[in-house]
Amino acid sequence: MTNDADRKRDVATSFGNATDGYRDGAVLKEGADLERLVDWTEGATRALDVATGAGHVAGAVAERNVPRVVAADLSPEMVTTATADYGGLEGAVVDAERLPFPAGRFDAVTCRFAAHHFPDPEAFLAEVERVLATGGVFAFEDLAAPADPELASYVNRIERLRDPGHVETASPAQWRDWLEAAGLTVDAVRETSRRLEVDTWLDRMDVPADRRREIRSLLSNAPAALEDAFDFRYADDGERLESYRTGVVLFRARA
């Protein structure tokens, strides 16, 4: 297994190569959950979007007349894409677990659909707490694993096959524990889900044919409890899985 530095380098390269898919993918650039996340930053004057990807969150926050928005990502290509597509953003190539900003610099920090790539989520949250001003808001969204450890392990196995940079999808309860341990006060939680088209989901990371076959085999043989929880939907032949709903959790927390 690679060490954390190697893993982060691999993630940066992988996402740099997948910029177009993340810029154009509807699941990332629109939705009521994105609007909710941005609404939670209302009134901010200095915002930081960690692991900005193609900049959808940072751009939406800037459109709410937040004077300063920093779009930060480990991938230089993603930062370039975000700042090119959304005017007025400041770009920064940063490690989410070692934010190069002074304490109390921001009154809002956002992070959406990225933390499952972080080797040390507790270090990330400690950094969020550090760079937030007193009373500042952290608006967070990520995939959510089932509470059942065996089902969570199955989901994470599939995710790692699709994306070698995937570390772990955690449960909502685990995220709440980590947030509170970091000194952040949770004041809103929203558990929801998003339907993923399997082929589009695989195409976004340009998954090789051998891993696609393995992923589809695991999905075809998934435990019945996971099939029910994720609302599997099949093609007309009843054999090929077309889509499923993956768990999502949003937290608003304050420093």
Side-chain angles (χ1 to χ4, degrees):
M1 182 179 292
T2 60
N3 61 31
D4 287 353
D6 290 339
R7 185 191 295 275
K8 290 174 183 179
R9 183 167 55 249
D10 291 345
V11 168
T13 300
S14 176
F15 280 86
N17 293 336
T19 300
D20 289 346
Y22 277 78
R23 179 182 60 205
D24 301 330
V27 72
L28 296 173
K29 70 179 182 180
E30 59 188 40
D33 56 329
L34 173 60
E35 291 300 314
R36 182 184 299 272
L37 206 70
V38 175
D39 285 346
W40 283 347
T41 69
E42 184 177 2
T45 59
R46 296 160 292 142
L48 169 67
D49 185 36
V50 179
T52 196
H56 303 311
V57 176
V61 171
E63 288 171 1
R64 299 293 181 91
N65 297 315
V66 177
R68 182 188 180 195
V69 181
V70 178
D73 202 281
L74 191 61
S75 163
E77 292 85 357
M78 285 295 194
V79 173
T80 297
T81 296
T83 54
D85 287 357
Y86 296 96
L89 298 181
E90 299 178 32
V93 178
V94 307
D95 181 339
E97 296 167 7
R98 295 174 178 82
L99 298 176
F101 306 107
R105 172 59 61 89
F106 301 98
D107 49 13
V109 174
T110 57
C111 183
R112 183 173 185 251
F113 289 138
H116 52 275
H117 292 110
F118 300 164
D120 189 346
E122 292 171 280
F124 158 62
L125 293 175
E127 282 292 88
V128 169
E129 194 278 335
R130 183 184 64 80
V131 302
L132 271 174
T134 300
V137 66
F138 177 44
F140 172 82
E141 179 176 10
D142 201 18
L143 303 174
D148 184 309
E150 291 187 7
L151 294 184
S153 178
Y154 202 91
V155 168
N156 278 301
R157 181 181 175 189
I158 292 170
E159 289 284 0
R160 292 184 191 109
L161 282 169
R162 172 189 175 257
D163 173 12
H166 180 97
V167 177
E168 182 183 10
T169 297
S171 69
Q174 179 65 81
W175 275 114
R176 178 184 281 274
D177 287 347
W178 283 334
L179 285 159
E180 293 176 348
L184 295 161
T185 301
V186 174
D187 62 10
V189 184
R190 166 73 171 167
E191 292 189 42
T192 181
S193 63
R194 300 208 72 161
R195 180 157 295 280
L196 297 178
E197 302 297 328
V198 176
D199 285 336
T200 301
W201 175 70
L202 295 171
D203 288 344
R204 190 179 301 132
M205 291 303 292
D206 195 21
V207 178
D210 59 336
R211 292 215 303 269
R212 285 179 184 244
R213 287 191 294 271
E214 187 172 357
I215 288 169
R216 282 206 167 271
S217 176
L218 286 167
L219 289 169
S220 296
N221 294 288
L226 185 64
E227 184 174 358
D228 291 343
F230 278 29
D231 187 21
F232 282 19
R233 293 188 182 175
Y234 295 87
D236 292 339
D237 60 11
E239 296 293 331
R240 184 176 177 81
L241 180 64
E242 287 192 333
S243 70
Y244 67 90
R245 300 196 73 88
T246 186
V248 174
V249 65
L250 295 88
F251 283 97
R252 183 179 65 197
R254 295 191 183 274

